[in-house]
Amino acid sequence: MNKPVYPFREIGIGHYPMGNTPVSPEDSKHLPSLMNLNQAAASSKLAYVHIPFCDSICPFCPYPKAFNEQGARQEYLTALFRELEMYGETPQIRNCSVEALYIGGGTPSVLDEEEITALFKQLQATLPLHSVEEITFEGNPASFTAAKLKLLQALGVNRISLGVQTFNDELGRRLGLLQTGEDSLRSIQDSRAAGITNVSLDLMYNLPGQTMEEWLEDLAKVVELDIGHVTLFPLKIIPGFGLAKRIASGELPACGGLELEQQMYVEACRYLESQGYSVESTYDFVRPGGHHVYSRKHFDDYLDLLSVGLGAFGDVGGYAYQNVKLLPEYVKKVTSGDLPIALGYEVKAEDLPNQFLAMGLRRTAVDRQQFRRKFGVFPEEHFPELFDKFVKEGLVEIREDTIALTRFHGLFWGNNVCKEFCEEQIKMAFPK
């Protein structure tokens, strides 16, 4: 590998813009107005529900989470249902149409069958789900059961996302995973037996001591199982987290450097493409029929995203926000009748070209002509210095109709390219 273009790889941009300004108690009173919740015009939306509980706290996970305990789950679900009701009572949400719903975490699969039933009853009572195309339920193979999957299918779930991470049990032990390779295989089989054939897997690479051979074995298992959608994440070692401490102490072998990470990514692209997958984003690979409706409508169509639950990111009525991240604070705010929003940002017209490119290039390419129709100029005319840099570094290719990340150099650094379009004050809201 030549000298890296960037000192490290960024994580992918999931939302742009993002809430970056603290919301005071006084500001909370104005949130319904800022989000235009009293506006009754019909619109299409996406919905995300965060279930933060986990049976074990993975020593590498940066997402809002809490240890699984029944009393805490009940308290949280009561608050979550109230947050849903607060939105469901507004004209904007009553008159919208939710096109895709994603229930993520955390680990939603730790909920028991009674809690899952109650959650879907509340969702159906408060959100317009009459024309929903896709309902994804995320979980861990260790806590999914055949009975839960049958229940989910009966409740309308038509896509399962499994946090497999690796089929290699030794690598899984190093990561502190609860599930084994057998657990993952069983969950895939149980999902299909329940009638949920759209199964997506998350895999991680550049794990402590992982070899290229071990990585290719994980990928071969994905192909063997005929998985329609797989998301590949490089392991991020977060200073101060348990995994970082175990590596620093010598208890675990170190991860490979940036050169090995790039080799693993390129080999994954080549192998999966040879097996009929296409590169759908900087993370995602799909076979025909495995496309993710929620992701497409979020990154390509920029639909409003109504997000509820601990630490959830959303964008409703021109207002981007993030909920509070601490469980007691979340419960307290909702119980007092306030929307549990900690950070907010009023989206401006000048943010939209940045949004188009920051989110669009995560999907590997953007429509150059569509950008000009929307904003009056081509992307490289709006951001001349950035595109001069990208072309010089071999990161993007400018064609007549599209601007695309190059193979495989631009794809590898794609998240960094996307972040270059973030305004500085918003850029700081993203984790490293």
Side-chain angles (χ1 to χ4, degrees):
M1 185 176 74
N2 297 325
K3 181 181 177 181
V5 182
Y6 298 95
F8 62 92
R9 290 177 81 193
E10 297 278 3
I11 65 171
I13 289 178
H15 313 274
Y16 190 84
M18 291 174 63
N20 68 334
T21 304
V23 174
S24 68
E26 180 61 29
D27 294 334
S28 291
K29 300 174 184 177
H30 305 293
L31 287 172
S33 175
L34 291 170
M35 300 169 80
N36 292 298
L37 292 176
N38 292 322
Q39 181 181 359
S43 64
S44 297
K45 285 187 171 37
L46 304 172
Y48 173 83
V49 178
H50 192 75
I51 305 296
F53 299 103
C54 301
D55 283 327
S56 175
I57 304 301
C58 293
F60 54 83
C61 176
Y63 298 107
K65 53 196 173 293
F67 188 72
N68 186 27
E69 192 274 320
Q70 187 174 17
R73 289 203 316 268
Q74 289 302 312
E75 184 179 44
Y76 177 76
L77 288 175
T78 298
L80 179 70
F81 294 175
R82 180 59 194 134
E83 185 187 6
L84 281 165
E85 287 170 353
M86 284 192 279
Y87 282 113
E89 291 164 356
T90 66
Q92 183 182 156
I93 303 305
R94 282 202 309 269
N95 287 277
C96 81
S97 174
V98 174
E99 297 194 6
L101 167 64
Y102 194 103
I103 300 169
T107 315
S109 56
V110 301
L111 299 180
D112 63 32
E113 293 171 52
E114 183 177 343
E115 291 164 340
I116 291 171
T117 301
L119 172 61
F120 275 83
K121 181 179 179 181
Q122 187 67 42
L123 289 168
Q124 290 157 358
T126 52
L127 297 182
L129 297 174
H130 46 272
S131 59
V132 67
E133 293 181 45
E134 177 186 86
I135 301 178
T136 299
F137 197 92
E138 189 178 272
N140 186 296
S143 53
F144 266 127
T145 65
K148 286 181 185 179
L149 288 160
K150 288 178 182 177
L151 173 62
L152 289 168
Q153 192 278 336
L155 291 168
V157 171
N158 54 9
R159 184 175 182 274
I160 291 293
S161 178
L162 290 172
V164 169
Q165 318 311 351
T166 179
F167 290 98
N168 184 308
D169 288 344
E170 174 55 33
L171 293 174
R173 280 190 287 272
R174 294 176 194 173
L175 288 178
L177 302 181
L178 286 178
Q179 74 273 17
T180 64
E182 284 299 315
D183 290 330
S184 297
L185 294 174
R186 173 188 49 77
S187 291
I188 294 165
Q189 293 163 356
D190 288 346
S191 296
R192 290 169 169 166
I196 306 174
T197 57
N198 191 354
V199 178
S200 173
L201 303 186
D202 289 350
L203 288 184
M204 301 182 77
Y205 61 99
N206 202 10
L207 308 180
Q210 185 183 32
T211 65
M212 181 68 78
E213 182 181 8
E214 289 169 331
W215 173 227
L216 292 175
E217 286 172 355
D218 268 349
L219 295 172
K221 182 63 71 173
V222 169
V223 173
E224 176 190 331
L225 293 167
D226 195 23
I227 299 299
H229 180 282
V230 60
T231 303
L232 308 182
F233 295 105
L235 177 63
K236 299 290 287 186
I237 303 298
I238 304 173
F241 277 44
L243 190 61
K245 294 177 180 178
R246 293 178 70 197
I247 292 173
S249 71
E251 181 183 349
L252 292 177
C255 300
L258 198 57
E259 184 172 359
L260 177 61
E261 185 173 306
Q262 184 166 18
Q263 290 171 355
M264 287 180 160
Y265 181 78
V266 171
E267 287 302 313
C269 290
R270 287 176 172 156
Y271 174 71
L272 290 173
E273 286 186 321
S274 76
Q275 300 299 316
Y277 291 81
S278 59
V279 183
E280 189 179 57
S281 84
T282 54
Y283 290 124
D284 299 292
F285 298 76
V286 298
R287 273 182 168 170
H291 292 275
H292 186 191
V293 173
Y294 177 97
S295 181
R296 174 170 54 80
K297 290 180 180 289
H298 179 53
F299 288 101
D300 295 352
D301 300 337
Y302 313 105
L303 293 190
D304 271 12
L305 173 60
L306 174 65
S307 288
V308 297
L310 192 70
F313 293 93
D315 183 348
V316 172
Y319 188 78
Y321 66 92
Q322 183 184 13
N323 279 353
V324 297
K325 297 181 181 180
L326 298 178
L327 189 57
E329 185 182 4
Y330 174 80
V331 172
K332 181 179 178 181
K333 285 184 80 71
V334 175
T335 302
S336 67
D338 292 328
L339 290 173
I341 293 175
L343 300 171
Y345 178 81
E346 292 183 68
V347 181
K348 303 173 180 61
E350 53 263 36
D351 295 315
L352 300 184
N354 303 66
Q355 178 193 64
F356 189 103
L357 295 166
M359 292 180 65
L361 281 171
R362 171 165 166 165
R363 302 271 286 173
T364 78
V366 294
D367 187 322
R368 185 168 171 262
Q369 301 294 341
Q370 184 184 13
F371 187 96
R372 186 173 68 164
R373 289 192 295 272
K374 280 176 171 281
F375 308 114
V377 294
F378 287 118
E380 69 274 19
E381 295 171 334
H382 195 83
F383 299 97
E385 292 182 4
L386 280 181
F387 278 102
D388 283 347
K389 170 186 172 181
F390 295 152
V391 171
K392 180 180 178 182
E393 297 288 355
L395 295 167
V396 303
E397 181 180 0
I398 301 176
R399 307 164 185 162
E400 182 177 355
D401 293 326
T402 63
I403 293 180
L405 298 173
T406 57
R407 293 165 50 91
F408 293 98
H409 186 56
L411 288 171
F412 180 75
W413 292 110
N415 295 333
N416 297 66
V417 171
C418 292
K419 193 168 179 180
E420 294 263 28
F421 295 102
C422 301
E423 291 295 331
E424 197 60 37
Q425 75 275 17
I426 298 175
K427 189 182 295 186
M428 299 308 295
F430 290 98
K432 296 291 185 185

